[in-house]
Each structure stands twice: as structure tokens, then as C-alpha cells.
Amino acid sequence: MSTNQLDKKSEAWSALFSEPMSELVKRYTASVFFDKRLWLADITGSLAHAEMLAAQKIIGASDLADIQRGMAQIRSEIEAGGFEWKLDLEDVHLNIEARLTQLVGDAGKRLHTGRSRNDQVATDVRLWLRDEIDLISDLLKELQVALVDVAEKNVEVILPGFTHLQVAQPVSFAHHLLAYVEMFSRDAERMVDVRRRTNRLPLGSAALAGTTYPLDRERVAKTLGMEGVCQNSLDGVSDRDFAIEFTAAASLCMVHISRFSEELILWMSQNFGFVKIADRFTTGSSIMPQKKNPDVPELARGKTGRVVGHLMGLITLMKGQPLAYNKDNQEDKEPLFDTVDTLKDTLRIFAEMVGGQLNPATGAKEGGITVNAAAMEAAANKGYATATDLADYLVKKGLPFRDAHETVAHAVKAATSHNCDLSELPLTVLQGFNASIEKDVYECLSLRGSLNARNTLGGTAPVQVKAQIARHRTRLA
Ligand code: ARG
């Protein structure tokens, strides 16, 4: 359909059609009210295409100049909020093209030479997503830096490490936070990887089979900063695997955020009292005056379901589509847009909630999470967190590990009945379990001794944690 016909609303699609589309169908099939956010990518892609058409002498130099002038005007109209988006024009592509033709006449009608909306939309989504991935990568870095900042201040703070949510072994709070830094660094790696496959050019695939015009696709790819061209036209217009991959990477990232949220929520409850987050990230209750609820981490945990849902939606959308383009693909946009919005907001808010906000007057960050080291340490002192250390001590005295394990089980039982910690059992009592136990046992029964002893790469000993912090600092610089 040519764009001047598009202007005549409520008319049939073309001479081929005997009646106009029904209003309901128009609304059902239109995407302009959500895909208009692709407008900048659409204009950028069109300008690269037009510039190549002119270089290849498929359109004239004056056509190119007209297209550039018209697009500049459209750009300022959209930026100023004065562009009139029309439902009758179905989507962002036809809206912009129709306005271009209105502004510059025939040159506008020549823009679509050697192009189809099928390769146009695939290009636009890729361009848009590529830039969003870059913003997400920056935010992932900010969040990692915030976590490393807090970790650096808490290397010596001892937290009960859990397995099965039962006290297991003491860990440095910094070590615990750095576990999330690892997760988010892998999320960032995944984003870089998805970006490579997203940043390839479908334009030139035309409707499905390529085009009869002597296009220079490599040139367009170069103009758009893309890493290559899609090598098969049918694949170029139809697959949305890059969007699915992105949403999978985003889902994993949200899952990591969700796990961290769950811990923050637990740590903030009165029964733990390990951390506080700034009041601006919490809400009160309308009935219980004492409440300060961790709404942000809770919502983030909830929004994870929403993003994972989008992954399911997108992957199901692709399933069963024959080659090449099908209108089903128009349904890729809302889940993709919402995934990007949700992830960006969540990362931004978490970076600030953890690391605080920059105070321009002092140059320091303020209002990040507050750590209650005493509460963490007190909790680590419950639950016999150093029992493994006692077993390891006995192994060093020559006991086979299984026997040491059993011996310590007896000691824990005794300590439980005395309602005390292992480190509070007198030496004579401990020696009753194994004669080789000496005074130096108390060093390994202390939380700090336990921490220091785990001095292998990736372990929680403060020297190891400091080495990891230094590595992250270099990596994130
Ligand atoms: N709005 C459409 C989409 O999002 C653009 C492509 C339409 N192509 C077509 N042949 N109907 O996928």
C-alpha cells in the first residue's frame, strides 16, 4: 500500500479490497500505540537505507536530501510531542512514512524502495534493543560497584552462612555480597553476548526473499554500527531469537535480584535485624503504625515473575511459526518493552538502595544499606557454626574425617544440653570426647578463627575476600 492512500482514512487497503477494515479489526491489528517508541530507531534505519539507495543511484541525490529534511522535521515534531499518531496508519513505520510523504512528496514514496516492513521492523527492534542493552550493561555495572562498596566496608563482619536456611558456617558479610557480584557479572556477560547477535542487520531481506535492487547491505550495516548482516533473508525477517535470548538473560538477572530481595526481606525482619534500608525504599502500613515494610525488594521479587512470564510469552510466540514473517511477531513488542522497562527500573533502584545516592556536596554516597554487625555476629554464634572447624581440627590430629564428624556430633549434643556454644565447653569436657584436643582448639572454635581458616581461592577468609574486592575493582574500573 502506498502512503498517500494511507492518508485517506477509512478507505480500503488498496484497489484489491472491496471494503475498508472494520473498526474492531483496525484496533486489533494496530500496534502504533505501543510500537511508537521505536520511532528513533525507525528514522535512523530509514536514513541509513535512503543514504545507501542514493549511493547506489537507486534514488536521486535530491530525493535523499528531501528524505533527510523531512525526517529531521518529523524528529523534532515527535520530540516536541506534536506528532499526530494515527491508529488508521497501523504502526510506527506507516505513520512516519505517511508523514514523510506529506512533507516531501515523491521522495517520501521512494524511501520504501527495496524494503518491506518485515525487514524494517526487524531492524528497528534490533537497533532499539541494542541501545537498551547498553543502558542495562551500565546499570549492571553500577549495581556491582554498589555491592563492592558495601562489601569493602564489611570484610570483617561475620554473618551466619546458611544451608537449608539452617546456620551452617560463619562467612564474611562481604563474601556474601560478592556472591551477588558474581551473579550480576555473569548477567553482564550474557548481555554482551546477546548484544552481538542482536546487532545484525535484517534490512535488505525485504519481504522475505531479498530484493531486485542492487542494495549495499554491508554499507547500511556499517552506517548503523551493526556487526554484520543477516545472511539469509527468510531468517532475517522472521526470527526473534535475539529478543527471546535477551528476555532469558533478563529473567536470569531478575532471578538474581529476586534471591537478593528475599535475603534483604529476611534480614530486615525483626527476627534477624541484620540490615536496614533507607526509609525512602520502604512503606508504612495503613493500620499498623509500627510498620516499615520492604516494599521495593518484595515488588522486585514479584516483578521477576512478570519478566519470566514475558520469556514464556515470547518463546511460545515463536513456536509453530512457519517461515518467513508472520503477523504473530507484532506481539513481540509489549513483552520485550516491559522486560526492558522492568529490568532497568529494578537495577537502578537496587543500585541506589544498596550503595546510596551521591551527595554532590561531599562527593560521597549516602543512604545505602546499614549493617548491624553485632546482630549478625550474635546470630552466627547460635547454631554451632564452627562444628565443622572442630571436625577439621580432629582430622589434623590424625582422626579419619567420618570419625571426627561423629565425635563432634557428640560434642554438639553436649553443648546443646548445656545450652551453650562449643567454644564455651571447658577443655576437660572437650577432651572427654577426644584426648588429643588441646587448648589451641578455642582458636578454631571462634568465628574469626573459622573465617581465617577458609583461606583457599574463593573462600571466605578476609585475605581472600580482599583479593576478590581488588579483582572486582579492576574489572569494574
Ligand atoms: N507492525 C508490524 C510488526 O510489528 C510490522 C510488520 C508488518 N508487516 C506486514 N507484512 N504486515 O511486526
Side-chain angles (χ1 to χ4, degrees):
M1 170 165 64
S2 73
T3 49
N4 54 343
Q5 280 167 298
L6 278 163
D7 265 351
K8 293 182 242 151
K9 294 182 187 188
S10 67
E11 278 195 6
W13 183 248
S14 76
L16 188 64
F17 294 75
S18 60
E19 59 176 0
M21 217 186 248
S22 87
E23 280 307 312
L24 180 59
V25 171
K26 228 186 250 175
R27 267 191 286 123
Y28 193 71
T29 56
S31 54
V32 62
F33 290 112
F34 52 84
D35 69 16
K36 64 182 176 189
R37 72 191 275 174
L38 294 174
W39 70 269
L40 188 56
D42 194 67
I43 291 179
T44 309
S46 286
L47 287 173
H49 178 67
E51 186 259 332
M52 177 277 294
L53 289 179
Q56 297 293 100
K57 309 227 174 321
I58 300 167
I59 62 170
S62 66
D63 289 324
L64 174 62
D66 286 346
I67 290 169
Q68 287 169 332
R69 177 172 50 82
M71 285 301 197
Q73 171 155 350
I74 292 172
R75 189 184 172 140
S76 49
E77 285 174 4
I78 297 174
E79 280 171 345
F83 188 91
E84 196 194 336
W85 297 101
K86 296 178 186 154
L87 183 79
D88 290 280
L89 293 177
E90 194 181 315
D91 59 21
V92 60
H93 323 290
L94 295 179
N95 267 270
I96 290 181
E97 194 184 325
R99 178 70 181 136
L100 182 71
T101 300
Q102 212 177 47
L103 289 169
V104 305
D106 281 357
K109 295 191 216 163
R110 291 202 174 98
L111 172 62
H112 214 50
T113 313
R115 185 175 79 167
S116 151
R117 270 190 299 156
N118 298 351
D119 56 347
Q120 186 179 358
V121 70
T123 303
D124 290 3
V125 176
R126 284 171 182 265
L127 279 176
W128 176 85
L129 184 59
R130 175 191 75 185
D131 292 351
E132 294 295 332
I133 288 174
D134 290 342
L135 296 176
I136 288 164
S137 297
D138 290 346
L139 290 169
L140 272 167
K141 193 166 165 180
E142 270 177 46
L143 177 56
Q144 290 179 74
V145 169
L147 285 162
V148 173
D149 286 347
V150 180
E152 195 157 46
K153 293 187 199 119
N154 292 282
V155 175
E156 304 288 343
V157 170
I158 297 178
L159 173 85
F162 295 106
T163 59
H164 316 271
L165 208 60
Q166 307 283 314
V167 171
Q169 290 171 359
V171 292
S172 150
F173 183 51
H175 190 57
H176 195 101
L177 292 179
L178 293 185
Y180 286 101
V181 174
E182 294 292 334
M183 295 177 224
F184 294 126
S185 79
R186 288 195 299 276
D187 291 330
E189 274 177 34
R190 269 184 282 272
M191 288 296 164
V192 169
D193 199 42
V194 173
R195 188 191 195 278
R196 278 196 307 124
R197 281 181 293 278
T198 300
N199 200 22
R200 289 178 195 161
L201 182 78
L203 215 56
S205 303
L208 74 165
T211 172
T212 55
Y213 301 95
L215 303 188
D216 183 351
R217 299 186 62 209
E218 301 282 356
R219 181 189 177 113
V220 179
K222 208 165 156 220
T223 310
L224 294 173
M226 291 186 125
E227 286 164 56
V229 301
C230 299
Q231 298 286 327
N232 180 295
S233 60
L234 297 164
D235 174 50
V237 291
S238 65
D239 208 342
R240 297 291 182 268
D241 56 356
F242 63 94
I244 297 170
E245 265 193 78
F246 166 78
T247 311
S251 294
L252 270 174
C253 183
M254 287 299 294
V255 165
H256 292 149
I257 291 265
S258 187
R259 296 183 69 192
F260 185 44
S261 297
E262 172 66 12
E263 300 214 279
L264 286 173
I265 294 161
L266 282 174
W267 292 345
M268 284 170 69
S269 83
Q270 287 76 4
N271 302 345
F272 283 74
F274 290 175
V275 299
K276 278 196 182 121
I277 56 177
D279 278 357
R280 63 184 184 285
F281 299 103
T282 61
T283 56
S285 153
S286 55
I287 171 166
M288 296 168 282
Q290 85 282 14
K291 296 279 275 191
K292 235 179 228 179
N293 296 327
D295 283 26
V296 166
E298 288 175 87
L299 259 180
R301 195 175 51 186
K303 283 176 192 286
T304 303
R306 172 175 172 152
V307 170
V308 173
H310 292 326
L311 170 61
M312 293 305 120
L314 282 175
I315 202 159
T316 311
L317 171 70
M318 210 62 241
K319 176 189 174 299
Q321 277 195 53
L323 288 175
Y325 176 84
N326 302 283
K327 186 79 168 179
D328 312 39
N329 283 335
Q330 183 165 287
E331 286 290 309
D332 65 353
K333 303 199 180 44
E334 287 161 294
L336 187 61
F337 294 166
D338 190 68
T339 298
V340 164
D341 292 343
T342 307
L343 183 60
K344 277 192 341 195
D345 284 351
T346 306
L347 289 172
R348 202 170 279 140
I349 215 162
F350 267 66
E352 197 195 312
M353 190 172 69
V354 171
Q357 216 176 12
L358 194 73
N359 178 342
T362 60
K365 280 193 187 165
E366 291 167 6
I369 63 174
T370 322
V371 176
N372 186 342
M376 285 186 191
E377 193 157 338
N381 270 317
K382 289 183 206 148
Y384 307 101
T386 57
T388 318
D389 297 83
L390 180 56
D392 291 343
Y393 176 90
L394 291 171
V395 166
K396 279 174 203 141
K397 296 282 183 185
L399 244 70
F401 182 77
R402 281 292 161 231
D403 293 341
H405 185 279
E406 187 60 14
T407 303
V408 177
H410 286 295
V412 169
K413 206 170 171 186
T416 314
S417 68
H418 287 95
N419 200 17
C420 71
D421 185 49
L422 283 174
S423 62
E424 289 164 339
L425 289 175
L427 186 59
T428 48
V429 173
L430 285 170
Q431 283 168 338
F433 297 111
N434 188 289
S436 68
I437 295 179
E438 291 168 87
K439 209 161 166 250
D440 63 351
V441 75
Y442 290 106
E443 167 56 18
C444 88
L445 287 179
S446 76
L447 295 178
R448 231 152 279 281
S450 167
L451 221 61
N452 288 332
R454 281 168 178 72
N455 192 8
T456 43
L457 198 155
T460 193
V463 269
Q464 293 294 338
V465 175
K466 283 179 191 153
Q468 292 294 338
I469 289 174
R471 183 177 66 81
H472 289 304
R473 287 279 185 224
T474 316
R475 190 175 61 74
L476 295 164

